[in-house]
Amino acid sequence: MKVNTVFLNHAFIAETQASLLVTDLSIQRGYGIFDFFKTINGKPVFLDDHIARFYNSAKKMHLQISQTPAELKDIIAELMQRNNLPDSGIKMTLTGGYAADAYTLPAAQNLIITQTALTLPKGLQAEGTTLVTYPYQRQFSEMKTLDYAMAIWLQPFIKEKNANDVLYQYNGFVRETPRANFFIVTTEGEVVTAKDNILAGVIRKNILNLEDTGFQLTEREFSVEELYNASEAFMTSTTKNILPVLKVDGKEIGDGKVGKITTQLSALLLKKIG
Amino acid sequence: MKVNTVFLNHAFIAETQASLLVTDLSIQRGYGIFDFFKTINGKPVFLDDHIARFYNSAKKMHLQISQTPAELKDIIAELMQRNNLPDSGIKMTLTGGYAADAYTLPAAQNLIITQTALTLPKGLQAEGTTLVTYPYQRQFSEMKTLDYAMAIWLQPFIKEKNANDVLYQYNGFVRETPRANFFIVTTEGEVVTAKDNILAGVIRKNILNLEDTGFQLTEREFSVEELYNASEAFMTSTTKNILPVLKVDGKEIGDGKVGKITTQLSALLLKKIG
């Protein structure tokens, strides 16, 4: 098996060697941030959006990235050259760093950049997916932190409910899935996604910024009830692009088939991705 | 400087060598649990309480400890012998383990046991401490997970407020500090600590179980307002035992001095610790 190269702080090393001392605040206290983007045919997709969000998450979590964005881009370019994985996911992780007392945030963080081969969906995944709702509000919802404890903990629950993933709702209002934003299409044809208390997803942003779609794209709160009564629903993320959601909590959304507006938005998004 | 020995999975190694591959779910997703106890004169304090809570946290978070409690105790005994640190803190951490996809909880976890020299308070710390409140409810409050992201994130806030630590309150009701339980003594002499949505602290439990104190020890919800009007307040934890809290949000609790009941409970607790 091919061993990929990883960037760790100041060096390119084999991924089998990439480790952190156990005093790191990610291991001790779950503290850190990350971002994740894809490459298609050797070209990063929406890289500037991901870089900007990575620096923003770092700043808001009081963490320092010792490289400038330009230096980071150079490191990513070299990593891609070394790994030669045209279709891939690249994850940049910034952990709290080594804390002698396992608690106080140190001045220096640890930066890890990994690249993994990815088989990305070529078009819309017609089989769609099913979700189960769970009451939860992500902590630090605007920042992309390492805090996925709830998502990992819910894995047996999702299986038990025969769903593929979980959809967080809080006080009856729909938020997001652990790794994707969530949209509905109302019976009036309004395309709606939650406005606040969610991660600002890059695919989400690029859908909301689509021009001349002819659709009404709205950011606003919407309830689980409104979702149940929607005519279409879909998730958006870097690895999924647009993924149709056909069932939530065992209830079919609309006619339980991939919707027309979902299909049209997917085509527009794929065109934008190039 | 002396290099302590650490137990990692199946081996005793130098702490400078103790590391985890970056695919571990603690580094990827902040997923794991731990427990922490002290040794005094080479004797672990309340060890059975800590071992029981460690296994309980693991079970509730869907994690496996490959050792039995008896085997774990043997490992701890050997670690103590190797390190020869009579007064120390011993931390047992169980991380999510290595996940090839950085997301799916693997069958095998990583166990790390570290020991660090500790200077423990000999009696009641008369200088006391000051806290600032912050609205927050810990996730998975009953389990001792690695999720201290809020505590780490609040470090600049605590400094800015000239406090020594933060006290979580939720909807106006007092919970706990990031690493200690919290008690008040009302003007009627009732000793009160929060009942639910908090960590079941071992020192807290051993105070509530004190016999023939002559005090009324109660577990119930109490508000920040009731705290402001209390005559005494204190924190309890493994490293602090009982630590008087003299000010919260800049307001003196009682007369702002170490209270009589706090002092008496501290003496009873120290007697129990031996």
Side-chain angles (χ1 to χ4, degrees), chain A residues 18-20 22 28-29 60 62 91 103 105 136 139 146 153 155, chain B residues 18-20 22 28-29 60 62 91 103 105 136 139 146 153 155:
Chain A
S19 61
L20 295 182
V22 300
Q28 295 292 329
R29 305 291 175 180
K60 286 190 173 161
H62 317 309
K91 186 172 181 177
Y103 197 71
L105 190 59
Y136 180 62
Q139 309 186 106
L146 302 183
W153 185 71
Q155 287 173 5
Chain B
S19 61
L20 295 181
V22 299
Q28 295 292 328
R29 305 292 176 179
K60 287 191 173 161
H62 318 308
K91 186 170 181 177
Y103 198 72
L105 192 58
Y136 180 63
Q139 309 186 108
L146 301 184
W153 185 72
Q155 287 174 4

PDB file of all heavy atoms in Angstrom, chain A residues 18-20 22 28-29 60 62 91 103 105 136 139 146 153 155, chain B residues 18-20 22 28-29 60 62 91 103 105 136 139 146 153 155:
ATOM      1  N   ALA A  18       3.478  10.171  11.364  1.00  0.00           N
ATOM      2  CA  ALA A  18       2.883  11.436  11.824  1.00  0.00           C
ATOM      3  C   ALA A  18       2.175  11.228  13.151  1.00  0.00           C
ATOM      4  O   ALA A  18       1.107  10.624  13.213  1.00  0.00           O
ATOM      5  CB  ALA A  18       1.916  11.964  10.774  1.00  0.00           C
ATOM      6  N   SER A  19       2.791  11.732  14.197  1.00  0.00           N
ATOM      7  CA  SER A  19       2.209  11.563  15.525  1.00  0.00           C
ATOM      8  C   SER A  19       2.412  12.812  16.357  1.00  0.00           C
ATOM      9  O   SER A  19       3.247  13.657  16.052  1.00  0.00           O
ATOM     10  CB  SER A  19       2.832  10.347  16.211  1.00  0.00           C
ATOM     11  OG  SER A  19       4.225  10.557  16.349  1.00  0.00           O
ATOM     12  N   LEU A  20       1.614  12.929  17.403  1.00  0.00           N
ATOM     13  CA  LEU A  20       1.744  14.035  18.357  1.00  0.00           C
ATOM     14  C   LEU A  20       2.014  13.466  19.740  1.00  0.00           C
ATOM     15  O   LEU A  20       1.454  12.419  20.103  1.00  0.00           O
ATOM     16  CB  LEU A  20       0.448  14.855  18.409  1.00  0.00           C
ATOM     17  CG  LEU A  20       0.032  15.616  17.153  1.00  0.00           C
ATOM     18  CD1 LEU A  20      -1.263  16.393  17.440  1.00  0.00           C
ATOM     19  CD2 LEU A  20       1.130  16.581  16.707  1.00  0.00           C
ATOM     20  N   VAL A  22       1.524  13.003  23.636  1.00  0.00           N
ATOM     21  CA  VAL A  22       0.227  12.952  24.313  1.00  0.00           C
ATOM     22  C   VAL A  22      -0.064  14.202  25.140  1.00  0.00           C
ATOM     23  O   VAL A  22      -1.182  14.369  25.632  1.00  0.00           O
ATOM     24  CB  VAL A  22       0.075  11.675  25.191  1.00  0.00           C
ATOM     25  CG1 VAL A  22       0.185  10.429  24.336  1.00  0.00           C
ATOM     26  CG2 VAL A  22       1.075  11.659  26.338  1.00  0.00           C
ATOM     27  N   GLN A  28      -5.446  15.916  25.177  1.00  0.00           N
ATOM     28  CA  GLN A  28      -5.763  16.187  26.582  1.00  0.00           C
ATOM     29  C   GLN A  28      -7.139  16.812  26.765  1.00  0.00           C
ATOM     30  O   GLN A  28      -7.838  16.501  27.724  1.00  0.00           O
ATOM     31  CB  GLN A  28      -4.705  17.127  27.189  1.00  0.00           C
ATOM     32  CG  GLN A  28      -3.311  16.536  27.258  1.00  0.00           C
ATOM     33  CD  GLN A  28      -3.204  15.391  28.259  1.00  0.00           C
ATOM     34  OE1 GLN A  28      -3.908  15.376  29.264  1.00  0.00           O
ATOM     35  NE2 GLN A  28      -2.364  14.409  27.970  1.00  0.00           N
ATOM     36  N   ARG A  29      -7.518  17.710  25.848  1.00  0.00           N
ATOM     37  CA  ARG A  29      -8.719  18.529  26.074  1.00  0.00           C
ATOM     38  C   ARG A  29      -9.611  18.696  24.851  1.00  0.00           C
ATOM     39  O   ARG A  29     -10.483  19.570  24.842  1.00  0.00           O
ATOM     40  CB  ARG A  29      -8.301  19.922  26.581  1.00  0.00           C
ATOM     41  CG  ARG A  29      -7.424  19.899  27.820  1.00  0.00           C
ATOM     42  CD  ARG A  29      -8.177  19.425  29.056  1.00  0.00           C
ATOM     43  NE  ARG A  29      -7.272  19.293  30.208  1.00  0.00           N
ATOM     44  CZ  ARG A  29      -7.687  18.894  31.407  1.00  0.00           C
ATOM     45  NH1 ARG A  29      -8.949  18.583  31.632  1.00  0.00           N
ATOM     46  NH2 ARG A  29      -6.829  18.773  32.408  1.00  0.00           N
ATOM     47  N   LYS A  60     -10.576  32.866  16.064  1.00  0.00           N
ATOM     48  CA  LYS A  60     -11.670  32.860  17.034  1.00  0.00           C
ATOM     49  C   LYS A  60     -11.417  31.879  18.187  1.00  0.00           C
ATOM     50  O   LYS A  60     -11.969  32.045  19.272  1.00  0.00           O
ATOM     51  CB  LYS A  60     -12.992  32.526  16.333  1.00  0.00           C
ATOM     52  CG  LYS A  60     -13.501  33.690  15.498  1.00  0.00           C
ATOM     53  CD  LYS A  60     -14.911  33.442  15.007  1.00  0.00           C
ATOM     54  CE  LYS A  60     -15.480  34.668  14.314  1.00  0.00           C
ATOM     55  NZ  LYS A  60     -16.632  34.338  13.460  1.00  0.00           N
ATOM     56  N   HIS A  62      -8.425  31.441  19.452  1.00  0.00           N
ATOM     57  CA  HIS A  62      -7.184  31.918  20.081  1.00  0.00           C
ATOM     58  C   HIS A  62      -5.966  31.078  19.682  1.00  0.00           C
ATOM     59  O   HIS A  62      -5.072  30.840  20.499  1.00  0.00           O
ATOM     60  CB  HIS A  62      -7.283  31.918  21.614  1.00  0.00           C
ATOM     61  CG  HIS A  62      -8.572  32.435  22.168  1.00  0.00           C
ATOM     62  ND1 HIS A  62      -9.128  33.629  21.797  1.00  0.00           N
ATOM     63  CD2 HIS A  62      -9.427  31.911  23.084  1.00  0.00           C
ATOM     64  CE1 HIS A  62     -10.251  33.821  22.452  1.00  0.00           C
ATOM     65  NE2 HIS A  62     -10.470  32.797  23.233  1.00  0.00           N
ATOM     66  N   LYS A  91      -6.829  17.734   4.421  1.00  0.00           N
ATOM     67  CA  LYS A  91      -7.294  18.193   5.728  1.00  0.00           C
ATOM     68  C   LYS A  91      -6.179  18.948   6.434  1.00  0.00           C
ATOM     69  O   LYS A  91      -5.076  18.420   6.593  1.00  0.00           O
ATOM     70  CB  LYS A  91      -7.730  16.983   6.565  1.00  0.00           C
ATOM     71  CG  LYS A  91      -8.363  17.355   7.903  1.00  0.00           C
ATOM     72  CD  LYS A  91      -8.958  16.127   8.589  1.00  0.00           C
ATOM     73  CE  LYS A  91      -9.608  16.494   9.912  1.00  0.00           C
ATOM     74  NZ  LYS A  91     -10.259  15.342  10.552  1.00  0.00           N
ATOM     75  N   TYR A 103      -3.285  21.812  30.279  1.00  0.00           N
ATOM     76  CA  TYR A 103      -4.472  22.666  30.413  1.00  0.00           C
ATOM     77  C   TYR A 103      -4.300  24.065  29.820  1.00  0.00           C
ATOM     78  O   TYR A 103      -5.187  24.555  29.140  1.00  0.00           O
ATOM     79  CB  TYR A 103      -4.851  22.774  31.895  1.00  0.00           C
ATOM     80  CG  TYR A 103      -6.254  23.272  32.134  1.00  0.00           C
ATOM     81  CD1 TYR A 103      -7.353  22.476  31.847  1.00  0.00           C
ATOM     82  CD2 TYR A 103      -6.492  24.556  32.626  1.00  0.00           C
ATOM     83  CE1 TYR A 103      -8.639  22.922  32.057  1.00  0.00           C
ATOM     84  CE2 TYR A 103      -7.784  25.003  32.844  1.00  0.00           C
ATOM     85  CZ  TYR A 103      -8.851  24.185  32.559  1.00  0.00           C
ATOM     86  OH  TYR A 103     -10.132  24.625  32.773  1.00  0.00           O
ATOM     87  N   LEU A 105      -3.380  26.935  27.423  1.00  0.00           N
ATOM     88  CA  LEU A 105      -3.170  27.044  25.972  1.00  0.00           C
ATOM     89  C   LEU A 105      -1.774  27.579  25.694  1.00  0.00           C
ATOM     90  O   LEU A 105      -1.454  28.707  26.076  1.00  0.00           O
ATOM     91  CB  LEU A 105      -4.237  27.982  25.394  1.00  0.00           C
ATOM     92  CG  LEU A 105      -4.338  28.032  23.873  1.00  0.00           C
ATOM     93  CD1 LEU A 105      -4.651  26.665  23.297  1.00  0.00           C
ATOM     94  CD2 LEU A 105      -5.397  29.033  23.446  1.00  0.00           C
ATOM     95  N   TYR A 136     -29.742  18.798  19.388  1.00  0.00           N
ATOM     96  CA  TYR A 136     -28.377  19.190  19.722  1.00  0.00           C
ATOM     97  C   TYR A 136     -28.029  20.507  19.042  1.00  0.00           C
ATOM     98  O   TYR A 136     -28.375  20.726  17.885  1.00  0.00           O
ATOM     99  CB  TYR A 136     -27.394  18.095  19.260  1.00  0.00           C
ATOM    100  CG  TYR A 136     -25.943  18.393  19.563  1.00  0.00           C
ATOM    101  CD1 TYR A 136     -25.504  18.538  20.872  1.00  0.00           C
ATOM    102  CD2 TYR A 136     -25.010  18.538  18.530  1.00  0.00           C
ATOM    103  CE1 TYR A 136     -24.176  18.826  21.149  1.00  0.00           C
ATOM    104  CE2 TYR A 136     -23.681  18.808  18.798  1.00  0.00           C
ATOM    105  CZ  TYR A 136     -23.273  18.946  20.109  1.00  0.00           C
ATOM    106  OH  TYR A 136     -21.948  19.223  20.379  1.00  0.00           O
ATOM    107  N   GLN A 139     -21.475  23.333  19.865  1.00  0.00           N
ATOM    108  CA  GLN A 139     -20.731  24.367  20.571  1.00  0.00           C
ATOM    109  C   GLN A 139     -19.904  25.116  19.525  1.00  0.00           C
ATOM    110  O   GLN A 139     -19.447  24.518  18.568  1.00  0.00           O
ATOM    111  CB  GLN A 139     -19.746  23.754  21.564  1.00  0.00           C
ATOM    112  CG  GLN A 139     -20.344  22.728  22.500  1.00  0.00           C
ATOM    113  CD  GLN A 139     -19.342  22.259  23.553  1.00  0.00           C
ATOM    114  OE1 GLN A 139     -19.447  22.627  24.706  1.00  0.00           O
ATOM    115  NE2 GLN A 139     -18.375  21.446  23.158  1.00  0.00           N
ATOM    116  N   LEU A 146     -12.547  20.806  16.499  1.00  0.00           N
ATOM    117  CA  LEU A 146     -12.439  19.340  16.522  1.00  0.00           C
ATOM    118  C   LEU A 146     -13.598  18.693  17.268  1.00  0.00           C
ATOM    119  O   LEU A 146     -13.657  17.464  17.373  1.00  0.00           O
ATOM    120  CB  LEU A 146     -11.130  18.920  17.212  1.00  0.00           C
ATOM    121  CG  LEU A 146      -9.836  19.448  16.603  1.00  0.00           C
ATOM    122  CD1 LEU A 146      -8.640  18.869  17.361  1.00  0.00           C
ATOM    123  CD2 LEU A 146      -9.744  19.067  15.130  1.00  0.00           C
ATOM    124  N   TRP A 153     -20.452   9.853  19.158  1.00  0.00           N
ATOM    125  CA  TRP A 153     -21.261   9.171  20.173  1.00  0.00           C
ATOM    126  C   TRP A 153     -22.578   8.674  19.587  1.00  0.00           C
ATOM    127  O   TRP A 153     -23.118   7.642  20.025  1.00  0.00           O
ATOM    128  CB  TRP A 153     -21.530  10.140  21.337  1.00  0.00           C
ATOM    129  CG  TRP A 153     -22.235   9.522  22.485  1.00  0.00           C
ATOM    130  CD1 TRP A 153     -21.720   8.624  23.370  1.00  0.00           C
ATOM    131  CD2 TRP A 153     -23.598   9.739  22.871  1.00  0.00           C
ATOM    132  NE1 TRP A 153     -22.679   8.283  24.294  1.00  0.00           N
ATOM    133  CE2 TRP A 153     -23.837   8.950  24.013  1.00  0.00           C
ATOM    134  CE3 TRP A 153     -24.633  10.538  22.368  1.00  0.00           C
ATOM    135  CZ2 TRP A 153     -25.071   8.918  24.661  1.00  0.00           C
ATOM    136  CZ3 TRP A 153     -25.856  10.516  23.010  1.00  0.00           C
ATOM    137  CH2 TRP A 153     -26.065   9.709  24.143  1.00  0.00           C
ATOM    138  N   GLN A 155     -23.135   7.425  16.664  1.00  0.00           N
ATOM    139  CA  GLN A 155     -23.020   6.399  15.616  1.00  0.00           C
ATOM    140  C   GLN A 155     -23.889   5.162  15.876  1.00  0.00           C
ATOM    141  O   GLN A 155     -24.602   4.710  14.974  1.00  0.00           O
ATOM    142  CB  GLN A 155     -21.546   6.049  15.358  1.00  0.00           C
ATOM    143  CG  GLN A 155     -20.822   7.173  14.592  1.00  0.00           C
ATOM    144  CD  GLN A 155     -19.319   6.972  14.449  1.00  0.00           C
ATOM    145  OE1 GLN A 155     -18.773   5.948  14.842  1.00  0.00           O
ATOM    146  NE2 GLN A 155     -18.657   7.966  13.888  1.00  0.00           N
TER     147      GLN A 155
ATOM    148  N   ALA B  18       6.005   9.208  24.368  1.00  0.00           N
ATOM    149  CA  ALA B  18       4.586   8.843  24.367  1.00  0.00           C
ATOM    150  C   ALA B  18       3.820   9.704  23.370  1.00  0.00           C
ATOM    151  O   ALA B  18       3.577  10.892  23.595  1.00  0.00           O
ATOM    152  CB  ALA B  18       4.001   9.018  25.761  1.00  0.00           C
ATOM    153  N   SER B  19       3.440   9.100  22.265  1.00  0.00           N
ATOM    154  CA  SER B  19       2.735   9.849  21.223  1.00  0.00           C
ATOM    155  C   SER B  19       1.670   8.980  20.583  1.00  0.00           C
ATOM    156  O   SER B  19       1.688   7.753  20.702  1.00  0.00           O
ATOM    157  CB  SER B  19       3.734  10.339  20.173  1.00  0.00           C
ATOM    158  OG  SER B  19       4.375   9.235  19.573  1.00  0.00           O
ATOM    159  N   LEU B  20       0.738   9.634  19.937  1.00  0.00           N
ATOM    160  CA  LEU B  20      -0.320   8.933  19.195  1.00  0.00           C
ATOM    161  C   LEU B  20      -0.255   9.357  17.731  1.00  0.00           C
ATOM    162  O   LEU B  20       0.027  10.524  17.425  1.00  0.00           O
ATOM    163  CB  LEU B  20      -1.703   9.306  19.739  1.00  0.00           C
ATOM    164  CG  LEU B  20      -2.049   8.893  21.169  1.00  0.00           C
ATOM    165  CD1 LEU B  20      -3.475   9.340  21.497  1.00  0.00           C
ATOM    166  CD2 LEU B  20      -1.910   7.375  21.360  1.00  0.00           C
ATOM    167  N   VAL B  22      -1.642  10.633  14.264  1.00  0.00           N
ATOM    168  CA  VAL B  22      -2.627  11.705  14.104  1.00  0.00           C
ATOM    169  C   VAL B  22      -3.996  11.189  13.654  1.00  0.00           C
ATOM    170  O   VAL B  22      -4.949  11.955  13.618  1.00  0.00           O
ATOM    171  CB  VAL B  22      -2.131  12.821  13.149  1.00  0.00           C
ATOM    172  CG1 VAL B  22      -0.871  13.462  13.704  1.00  0.00           C
ATOM    173  CG2 VAL B  22      -1.934  12.312  11.737  1.00  0.00           C
ATOM    174  N   GLN B  28      -8.468  13.839  15.849  1.00  0.00           N
ATOM    175  CA  GLN B  28      -9.367  14.105  14.716  1.00  0.00           C
ATOM    176  C   GLN B  28     -10.701  14.689  15.152  1.00  0.00           C
ATOM    177  O   GLN B  28     -11.267  15.536  14.462  1.00  0.00           O
ATOM    178  CB  GLN B  28      -9.612  12.805  13.932  1.00  0.00           C
ATOM    179  CG  GLN B  28      -8.371  12.242  13.266  1.00  0.00           C
ATOM    180  CD  GLN B  28      -7.871  13.124  12.130  1.00  0.00           C
ATOM    181  OE1 GLN B  28      -8.653  13.778  11.464  1.00  0.00           O
ATOM    182  NE2 GLN B  28      -6.551  13.151  11.928  1.00  0.00           N
ATOM    183  N   ARG B  29     -11.241  14.199  16.283  1.00  0.00           N
ATOM    184  CA  ARG B  29     -12.620  14.551  16.640  1.00  0.00           C
ATOM    185  C   ARG B  29     -12.834  14.859  18.122  1.00  0.00           C
ATOM    186  O   ARG B  29     -13.978  14.863  18.587  1.00  0.00           O
ATOM    187  CB  ARG B  29     -13.557  13.388  16.241  1.00  0.00           C
ATOM    188  CG  ARG B  29     -13.462  12.973  14.793  1.00  0.00           C
ATOM    189  CD  ARG B  29     -13.983  14.038  13.855  1.00  0.00           C
ATOM    190  NE  ARG B  29     -13.793  13.662  12.454  1.00  0.00           N
ATOM    191  CZ  ARG B  29     -14.182  14.421  11.432  1.00  0.00           C
ATOM    192  NH1 ARG B  29     -14.773  15.583  11.636  1.00  0.00           N
ATOM    193  NH2 ARG B  29     -13.960  14.028  10.187  1.00  0.00           N
ATOM    194  N   LYS B  60     -20.306   4.433  28.804  1.00  0.00           N
ATOM    195  CA  LYS B  60     -21.314   5.376  28.309  1.00  0.00           C
ATOM    196  C   LYS B  60     -20.893   6.051  27.008  1.00  0.00           C
ATOM    197  O   LYS B  60     -21.732   6.509  26.243  1.00  0.00           O
ATOM    198  CB  LYS B  60     -21.610   6.426  29.379  1.00  0.00           C
ATOM    199  CG  LYS B  60     -22.432   5.863  30.528  1.00  0.00           C
ATOM    200  CD  LYS B  60     -22.950   6.958  31.445  1.00  0.00           C
ATOM    201  CE  LYS B  60     -23.896   6.405  32.484  1.00  0.00           C
ATOM    202  NZ  LYS B  60     -24.041   7.332  33.638  1.00  0.00           N
ATOM    203  N   HIS B  62     -19.216   4.431  24.679  1.00  0.00           N
ATOM    204  CA  HIS B  62     -19.033   3.324  23.718  1.00  0.00           C
ATOM    205  C   HIS B  62     -17.564   2.961  23.520  1.00  0.00           C
ATOM    206  O   HIS B  62     -17.150   2.610  22.408  1.00  0.00           O
ATOM    207  CB  HIS B  62     -19.648   3.638  22.349  1.00  0.00           C
ATOM    208  CG  HIS B  62     -20.979   4.304  22.387  1.00  0.00           C
ATOM    209  ND1 HIS B  62     -22.034   3.804  23.115  1.00  0.00           N
ATOM    210  CD2 HIS B  62     -21.452   5.426  21.776  1.00  0.00           C
ATOM    211  CE1 HIS B  62     -23.099   4.595  22.941  1.00  0.00           C
ATOM    212  NE2 HIS B  62     -22.767   5.584  22.151  1.00  0.00           N
ATOM    213  N   LYS B  91      -3.060  10.252  35.684  1.00  0.00           N
ATOM    214  CA  LYS B  91      -4.138  10.482  34.724  1.00  0.00           C
ATOM    215  C   LYS B  91      -4.256   9.283  33.799  1.00  0.00           C
ATOM    216  O   LYS B  91      -3.281   8.878  33.172  1.00  0.00           O
ATOM    217  CB  LYS B  91      -3.831  11.752  33.913  1.00  0.00           C
ATOM    218  CG  LYS B  91      -4.953  12.167  32.972  1.00  0.00           C
ATOM    219  CD  LYS B  91      -4.701  13.553  32.384  1.00  0.00           C
ATOM    220  CE  LYS B  91      -5.842  13.969  31.460  1.00  0.00           C
ATOM    221  NZ  LYS B  91      -5.665  15.345  30.932  1.00  0.00           N
ATOM    222  N   TYR B 103     -13.210   9.118  11.330  1.00  0.00           N
ATOM    223  CA  TYR B 103     -14.588   9.391  11.783  1.00  0.00           C
ATOM    224  C   TYR B 103     -15.265   8.215  12.484  1.00  0.00           C
ATOM    225  O   TYR B 103     -15.922   8.397  13.502  1.00  0.00           O
ATOM    226  CB  TYR B 103     -15.434   9.823  10.571  1.00  0.00           C
ATOM    227  CG  TYR B 103     -16.716  10.521  10.949  1.00  0.00           C
ATOM    228  CD1 TYR B 103     -16.686  11.814  11.457  1.00  0.00           C
ATOM    229  CD2 TYR B 103     -17.953   9.897  10.801  1.00  0.00           C
ATOM    230  CE1 TYR B 103     -17.852  12.479  11.801  1.00  0.00           C
ATOM    231  CE2 TYR B 103     -19.129  10.553  11.140  1.00  0.00           C
ATOM    232  CZ  TYR B 103     -19.070  11.844  11.644  1.00  0.00           C
ATOM    233  OH  TYR B 103     -20.226  12.491  11.983  1.00  0.00           O
ATOM    234  N   LEU B 105     -15.875   5.217  14.818  1.00  0.00           N
ATOM    235  CA  LEU B 105     -15.306   4.753  16.082  1.00  0.00           C
ATOM    236  C   LEU B 105     -14.748   3.339  15.912  1.00  0.00           C
ATOM    237  O   LEU B 105     -15.494   2.407  15.632  1.00  0.00           O
ATOM    238  CB  LEU B 105     -16.389   4.762  17.163  1.00  0.00           C
ATOM    239  CG  LEU B 105     -15.921   4.577  18.603  1.00  0.00           C
ATOM    240  CD1 LEU B 105     -14.930   5.645  19.014  1.00  0.00           C
ATOM    241  CD2 LEU B 105     -17.108   4.572  19.542  1.00  0.00           C
ATOM    242  N   TYR B 136     -23.066  28.220  30.442  1.00  0.00           N
ATOM    243  CA  TYR B 136     -22.633  27.026  29.690  1.00  0.00           C
ATOM    244  C   TYR B 136     -23.113  25.770  30.400  1.00  0.00           C
ATOM    245  O   TYR B 136     -23.058  25.682  31.634  1.00  0.00           O
ATOM    246  CB  TYR B 136     -21.096  27.013  29.577  1.00  0.00           C
ATOM    247  CG  TYR B 136     -20.541  25.828  28.827  1.00  0.00           C
ATOM    248  CD1 TYR B 136     -20.844  25.628  27.482  1.00  0.00           C
ATOM    249  CD2 TYR B 136     -19.716  24.901  29.466  1.00  0.00           C
ATOM    250  CE1 TYR B 136     -20.332  24.532  26.791  1.00  0.00           C
ATOM    251  CE2 TYR B 136     -19.200  23.815  28.783  1.00  0.00           C
ATOM    252  CZ  TYR B 136     -19.507  23.632  27.447  1.00  0.00           C
ATOM    253  OH  TYR B 136     -19.004  22.561  26.777  1.00  0.00           O
ATOM    254  N   GLN B 139     -21.461  19.317  27.727  1.00  0.00           N
ATOM    255  CA  GLN B 139     -22.007  18.185  26.981  1.00  0.00           C
ATOM    256  C   GLN B 139     -21.670  16.914  27.763  1.00  0.00           C
ATOM    257  O   GLN B 139     -20.628  16.839  28.383  1.00  0.00           O
ATOM    258  CB  GLN B 139     -21.341  18.081  25.607  1.00  0.00           C
ATOM    259  CG  GLN B 139     -21.330  19.355  24.802  1.00  0.00           C
ATOM    260  CD  GLN B 139     -20.777  19.124  23.388  1.00  0.00           C
ATOM    261  OE1 GLN B 139     -21.512  19.141  22.423  1.00  0.00           O
ATOM    262  NE2 GLN B 139     -19.477  18.930  23.277  1.00  0.00           N
ATOM    263  N   LEU B 146     -13.074  14.167  27.175  1.00  0.00           N
ATOM    264  CA  LEU B 146     -11.981  15.094  26.876  1.00  0.00           C
ATOM    265  C   LEU B 146     -12.490  16.484  26.510  1.00  0.00           C
ATOM    266  O   LEU B 146     -11.686  17.380  26.228  1.00  0.00           O
ATOM    267  CB  LEU B 146     -11.146  14.561  25.701  1.00  0.00           C
ATOM    268  CG  LEU B 146     -10.504  13.188  25.880  1.00  0.00           C
ATOM    269  CD1 LEU B 146      -9.656  12.863  24.669  1.00  0.00           C
ATOM    270  CD2 LEU B 146      -9.658  13.149  27.150  1.00  0.00           C
ATOM    271  N   TRP B 153     -11.032  27.697  25.855  1.00  0.00           N
ATOM    272  CA  TRP B 153     -11.404  28.898  25.097  1.00  0.00           C
ATOM    273  C   TRP B 153     -11.620  30.093  26.020  1.00  0.00           C
ATOM    274  O   TRP B 153     -11.381  31.239  25.642  1.00  0.00           O
ATOM    275  CB  TRP B 153     -12.668  28.611  24.282  1.00  0.00           C
ATOM    276  CG  TRP B 153     -13.063  29.724  23.383  1.00  0.00           C
ATOM    277  CD1 TRP B 153     -12.439  30.121  22.227  1.00  0.00           C
ATOM    278  CD2 TRP B 153     -14.180  30.615  23.552  1.00  0.00           C
ATOM    279  NE1 TRP B 153     -13.102  31.187  21.680  1.00  0.00           N
ATOM    280  CE2 TRP B 153     -14.167  31.513  22.464  1.00  0.00           C
ATOM    281  CE3 TRP B 153     -15.190  30.731  24.517  1.00  0.00           C
ATOM    282  CZ2 TRP B 153     -15.128  32.506  22.311  1.00  0.00           C
ATOM    283  CZ3 TRP B 153     -16.147  31.730  24.355  1.00  0.00           C
ATOM    284  CH2 TRP B 153     -16.109  32.598  23.271  1.00  0.00           C
ATOM    285  N   GLN B 155     -10.010  30.872  28.716  1.00  0.00           N
ATOM    286  CA  GLN B 155      -8.835  31.324  29.478  1.00  0.00           C
ATOM    287  C   GLN B 155      -8.567  32.835  29.353  1.00  0.00           C
ATOM    288  O   GLN B 155      -8.357  33.507  30.375  1.00  0.00           O
ATOM    289  CB  GLN B 155      -7.608  30.477  29.126  1.00  0.00           C
ATOM    290  CG  GLN B 155      -7.698  29.069  29.730  1.00  0.00           C
ATOM    291  CD  GLN B 155      -6.579  28.127  29.309  1.00  0.00           C
ATOM    292  OE1 GLN B 155      -5.653  28.513  28.606  1.00  0.00           O
ATOM    293  NE2 GLN B 155      -6.667  26.876  29.735  1.00  0.00           N
TER     294      GLN B 155
END
